[in-house]
Amino acid sequence: VEEHLKNLYQRVGCLRYWPAVRYCSSLLRHTVDSISPFITTVLVNGKQLTVGVIGREETVFDKPMTPAEIQSVMYSTIQPYDVIQAVLQQEVVLYCGRLIATNPEMFKGILKIRVGYV
């Protein structure tokens, strides 16, 4: 099954069919390699991040974590309730980190970024 998912992931990636790419990526438990520094950037700017599905328990990132810890949180907190969100929320975290690094004034007055609500 894993080999078929990898093949499907490659094919839909070439077709740029992003919902299917995210779905396969989640089932394969992919994690964005560079996500840890972006979470740290958000934290250094005095913000907290939460991930999760609306109506379910959220997980708060309030200290730097290793990529393995981040993967564990993403897939235990989000994937059981919404397969695609496990990958989509990683993308949002990445972009929040990039944005706060370049434009921290945009986040003035925000203490907690609830990614699951975006």
Side-chain angles (χ1 to χ4, degrees), residues 9-29:
Y9 175 77
Q10 291 294 325
R11 287 197 339 233
V12 295
C14 291
L15 296 171
R16 304 181 110 177
Y17 186 61
W18 304 124
V21 170
R22 289 183 182 108
Y23 191 83
C24 291
S25 184
S26 182
L27 293 178
L28 293 167
R29 297 180 63 90

Side-chain angles (χ1 to χ4, degrees), residues 4-5 8 24-25 31-32 40 57-58 68 72 75 80-81 86 96-97 100 102-103 114:
H4 287 294
L5 272 175
L8 181 59
C24 291
S25 184
T31 306
V32 177
T40 303
E57 184 178 339
E58 291 179 310
S72 175
Y75 287 102
Y81 308 106
C96 282
I100 202 167
T102 57
N103 299 304
R114 291 189 140 125

Side-chain angles (χ1 to χ4, degrees), residues 84-116:
I84 292 177
Q85 283 289 317
V87 174
L88 193 58
Q89 287 191 34
Q90 290 179 59
E91 293 176 33
V92 173
V93 166
L94 184 83
Y95 292 124
C96 282
R98 285 183 179 163
L99 195 56
I100 202 167
T102 57
N103 299 304
E105 67 279 354
M106 291 180 69
F107 291 84
K108 187 176 181 180
I110 297 174
L111 299 176
K112 188 181 287 187
I113 302 167
R114 291 189 140 125
V115 178

